[in-house]
Amino acid sequence: MKRALGVLGAGVLAVALIVVPQPAFAADASYRTLSAARNPDWMGGLASGASLAALSIPGTHETLAIHGGDYVQAQENFGDSAATLTAQLNAGIRMIDIRARVNEGNTFTIHHGATYQVANFDDVLDKLAAFLAAHPGETVIMRLKQECTGETGSCVDASGQNSFPDIFDAYVAARPGLFWAPSVTRASAAAVPTLGAVRGKVVLAVLNGPRGGRFSNYGLAQFSGWNDGSSTYVQDEYNVPSVFSIPAKREAVSDFLATTNAGDPTKLYVNFASGAGAGAPPYWVAGGALWEQGVDPYVLDYLNDNTLSRTGVLMLDFPGGGLINKIISIN
């Protein structure tokens, strides 16, 4: 199957006519079967005194990236206006990765690069509020990032608007009680909370700028060094240039799982299983292509073959129900 593709990577737009093979690994327990999992209340049975750092948490990278073609889409499409988020939450996803463009009227719209994802930040907050009201024993961790760099292949923020943090503060003020307050206080970062302290609320992990770095002291204090790519408590080796680089990405994920198990038990570790590059769109990296096993089936095999005390947060592209269920079962 031949396609003319706009290949998005490292802020550079290239166009090539290439043959796109289908993934070697079809939809299975690890990949593209999100709706096979049903875990809307899995945190409700856990001890309230447990630290979030002690938990094994399934998450999604580019949570609402459902439009834009092979090189932009990162998640199964369960509907616009953040309906896809609701599907993920019901499956058991508890950390989300939201990318926002500054729009007219001092608002946020959801983007992956230049592609609008047919959702606004109000949609995200509406879906979160509705889910947490129906499932008050749960919490959702959010990473929020200003998406637009203005470079080729990215978006451009609307001019004449308030700063990204000021717009975020207005959203928080309009939704009293939705966010865990210590995580959305600009002047002082928060320690990792217990589950009991944040049931029914959204915990902001970090508020990132368009090229990484943290805005002020929003989020958790341990993520002061969260930048573009990996840092002390984050594995995000997102550059997977080709299908031949998928093994290195698999190794980065498994190495960080080992780091998480041996690491500081008071810290939350975030492990991105996602990646892409000019020769490897997200669905290849997640599901596999040619002879290379994708990261999702690899992680499911790894978790089945190893005894772990915790996985930390695993941020996934196109996660399957079996993988989500397995991560949750480790708690």
Side-chain angles (χ1 to χ4, degrees), residues 3-5 7 26 31 46-47 72 117 136 172 191 207 210 224 271 281 302:
R3 299 180 186 175
L5 295 176
V7 179
Y31 172 71
L46 302 181
V72 179
Q117 296 301 321
V172 172
L207 191 68
S224 61
N271 194 349
Y302 183 94

Side-chain angles (χ1 to χ4, degrees), residues 240-318:
V240 182
S242 74
V243 68
F244 307 108
S245 306
I246 295 175
K249 179 62 190 185
R250 296 195 306 251
E251 184 176 2
V253 174
S254 59
D255 285 352
F256 203 71
L257 283 168
T259 296
T260 300
N261 270 261
D264 186 339
T266 69
K267 297 296 190 290
L268 185 67
Y269 289 75
V270 180
N271 194 349
F272 282 82
S274 53
Y283 77 99
W284 283 14
V285 178
L290 302 177
W291 52 85
E292 290 295 349
Q293 185 183 36
V295 177
D296 287 5
Y298 172 80
V299 170
L300 182 55
D301 287 346
Y302 183 94
L303 297 181
N304 284 329
D305 292 342
N306 293 273
T307 300
L308 304 179
S309 60
R310 61 173 178 167
T311 67
V313 183
L314 277 162
M315 302 294 276
L316 307 162
D317 282 350
F318 302 107

Side-chain angles (χ1 to χ4, degrees), residues 120-202:
N120 303 323
F121 197 53
D122 273 321
D123 297 323
V124 172
L125 299 184
D126 285 345
K127 299 302 190 291
L128 288 169
F131 177 81
L132 291 170
H135 307 282
E138 308 301 291
T139 188
V140 179
I141 306 167
M142 177 190 292
R143 183 254 189 130
L144 179 60
K145 183 177 187 292
Q146 185 175 4
E147 180 70 353
C148 300
T149 66
E151 298 168 345
T152 302
S154 186
C155 46
V156 177
D157 288 325
S159 62
Q161 307 303 302
N162 293 338
S163 71
F164 196 86
D166 285 348
I167 296 171
F168 176 68
D169 283 350
Y171 276 108
V172 172
R175 307 269 183 160
L178 177 59
F179 285 89
W180 180 56
S183 72
V184 292
T185 302
R186 188 183 298 200
S188 58
V192 178
T194 63
L195 178 56
V198 295
R199 292 193 194 274
K201 297 187 180 298
V202 178

Side-chain angles (χ1 to χ4, degrees), residues 56-81:
S56 298
I57 300 173
T60 47
H61 155 257
E62 285 279 5
T63 296
L64 293 178
I66 58 175
H67 297 289
D70 289 345
Y71 280 83
V72 179
Q73 184 177 0
Q75 302 299 331
E76 289 182 86
N77 185 347
F78 290 94
D80 296 333
S81 302

Side-chain angles (χ1 to χ4, degrees), residues 73-95:
Q73 184 177 0
Q75 302 299 331
E76 289 182 86
N77 185 347
F78 290 94
D80 296 333
S81 302
T84 290
L85 172 58
T86 297
Q88 293 179 13
L89 296 173
N90 284 326
I93 296 299
R94 291 295 179 271
M95 184 164 176

